Amino acid sequence: MAAKASQPALPPWGNALAGATGAVLANALVYPLDIVKTRLQVQIKRKPNDPAPLAVDGVHYTSTMDALSKIVDDEGVMGLYSGINGALIGVASTNFAYFYWYSVVRTLYLSTQTLPKPPTTAIELSLGAVAGAVAQVFTIPVSVVTTRQQTQPKGERKGLLDTGREVVNSEDGWTGLWRGLKASLVLVVNPAITYGAYQRLKDLIYPGKTHLRPLEAFFLGAMSKSIATIVTQPLIVAKVGLQSRPPPARQGKPFKSFVEVIKFIIEHEGPLALFKGIVPQITKGVLVQGLLMMTKERMEILFIVLFAYLRRLKSARLQQAANAAAEKAKYVLPIVGK
């Protein structure tokens, strides 16, 4: 414990860089699941009397495996990585902003405490929610553009900047880059639900056990993340619907709020459609959560070692400069007699 306490703490931007690096690596590995869950969430189930396909690109997917198969058949393997550049930029910026602001608000909170003590669980969750909300305000434009890229028909694919211009040139103007912000702010409760469910399940399944084995922790993490995803899935689907192109049944008219998206989905598909795409959503969430924390911890260790090396290097250079100055002073300064 002493060794751990003696480790130099990372500055806020160091924590942010470690978190962003871990998030990029984790999301890059599971990106095809992100494409699939987005395609499943924006499509509207066909009815026999529908005059035209209700899917954005006219292709209908029945399951995760069906979506993977059809995307590869129609667009090739690279179709599973459509919009990945923008997605990873969004992941990096969102997680950098989140971990940066979390470090900042946590430091500010601790500085206001007269007695040094760790924050309670409720305080930790509140600080995380504040950091998440601030991060969303700054980074949601990238999320909007990425969602558009992921749902563009094959013959209408555009780059990140061109897709951004398309959003700005729509009837919403610049505010279109912040579509789904309200739903995103509400969704900051997802980590709180995950953490609360984890603690509750731990008390129920492993009562009195302080330290869990890696597989036990992963099992509880998977269950708690699944519960949080199920609870918030309707908002996740509504957010994707807000940020993507409107379905053909809307005749180009964009949704104005996530409540309008939910009403539209229930009217055309029924209440259960609010949970479409939940299988790849949960799979992606569980894998990303585990990979993110695993890689983030290792990146933090790497950055701590790197910063320690840079501090020693800087100290050595300063010492060399001081020695050189002292040596020069012997010949420059006048000798004062007694």
Side-chain angles (χ1 to χ4, degrees):
M1 294 296 292
K4 185 176 181 180
S6 64
Q7 284 182 339
L10 285 174
W13 69 268
N15 279 307
L17 191 57
T21 303
V24 167
L25 292 174
N27 279 272
L29 290 174
V30 300
Y31 187 76
L33 285 174
D34 196 37
I35 282 281
V36 169
K37 70 95 179 173
T38 302
R39 299 275 182 99
L40 287 171
Q41 288 169 354
V42 299
Q43 73 176 8
I44 305 298
K45 188 182 297 182
R46 296 181 183 179
K47 294 179 181 179
N49 58 348
D50 284 335
L54 291 177
V56 173
D57 57 0
V59 179
H60 188 78
Y61 309 109
T62 58
S63 66
T64 300
M65 292 307 299
D66 180 62
L68 285 169
S69 176
K70 287 181 178 177
I71 291 172
V72 171
D73 289 343
D74 187 45
E75 307 171 35
V77 175
M78 294 309 297
L80 295 174
Y81 296 89
S82 175
I84 189 172
N85 292 335
L88 294 184
I89 290 173
V91 165
S93 59
T94 299
N95 282 273
F96 185 93
Y98 172 79
F99 286 110
Y100 177 84
W101 287 110
Y102 179 77
S103 297
V104 170
V105 297
R106 194 176 192 278
T107 301
L108 289 175
Y109 171 79
L110 292 175
S111 67
T112 63
Q113 302 302 298
T114 54
L115 296 175
K117 59 180 181 179
T120 63
T121 300
I123 293 297
E124 287 282 14
L125 295 177
S126 300
L127 295 176
V130 171
V134 175
Q136 285 295 328
V137 171
F138 285 99
T139 61
I140 197 171
V142 182
S143 175
V144 172
V145 174
T146 300
T147 302
R148 285 291 183 95
Q149 282 189 298
Q150 291 178 337
T151 55
Q152 285 171 342
K154 182 179 178 182
E156 301 178 24
R157 296 281 164 78
K158 298 177 181 177
L160 187 68
L161 294 179
D162 288 336
T163 305
R165 292 190 191 97
E166 178 185 286
V167 175
V168 173
N169 292 333
S170 66
E171 63 179 63
D172 289 333
W174 285 97
T175 60
L177 292 173
W178 278 266
R179 290 183 67 84
L181 177 60
K182 292 180 181 178
S184 296
L185 293 178
V186 175
L187 283 171
V188 298
V189 303
N190 189 293
I193 297 173
T194 302
Y195 186 83
Y198 183 92
Q199 292 299 321
R200 183 59 177 161
L201 289 170
K202 180 181 177 183
D203 294 338
L204 290 174
I205 301 175
Y206 305 107
K209 193 168 186 178
T210 306
H211 300 290
L212 300 180
R213 296 174 181 174
L215 285 179
E216 292 173 341
F218 183 85
F219 171 68
L220 288 186
M223 289 184 64
S224 58
K225 186 64 179 178
S226 299
I227 291 171
T229 301
I230 291 171
V231 171
T232 57
Q233 183 69 4
L235 276 178
I236 294 173
V237 173
K239 174 189 169 185
V240 172
L242 271 173
Q243 295 178 342
S244 62
R245 287 183 177 182
R250 296 275 300 179
Q251 298 179 347
K253 182 181 179 182
F255 295 106
K256 296 297 183 182
S257 67
F258 63 86
V259 175
E260 187 179 4
V261 179
I262 291 174
K263 287 181 178 179
F264 180 85
I265 292 173
I266 293 175
E267 178 185 345
H268 287 79
E269 303 178 78
L272 289 179
L274 294 174
F275 296 89
K276 58 188 176 181
I278 195 167
V279 173
Q281 183 83 48
I282 290 176
T283 305
K284 178 202 168 192
V286 169
L287 292 176
V288 167
Q289 189 77 12
L291 291 169
L292 168 60
M293 299 316 296
M294 182 178 68
T295 52
K296 180 180 181 292
E297 287 186 359
R298 280 149 184 77
M299 291 306 300
E300 283 180 348
I301 294 173
L302 175 62
F303 283 124
I304 287 173
V305 173
L306 177 61
F307 288 161
Y309 170 74
L310 292 176
R311 290 189 187 101
R312 286 198 298 269
L313 187 63
K314 182 179 180 181
S315 177
R317 288 181 177 177
L318 288 175
Q319 187 62 47
Q320 288 178 357
N323 292 339
E327 189 69 23
K328 185 178 180 181
K330 292 180 181 179
Y331 304 101
V332 175
L333 293 179
I335 298 176
V336 181
K338 293 182 180 179

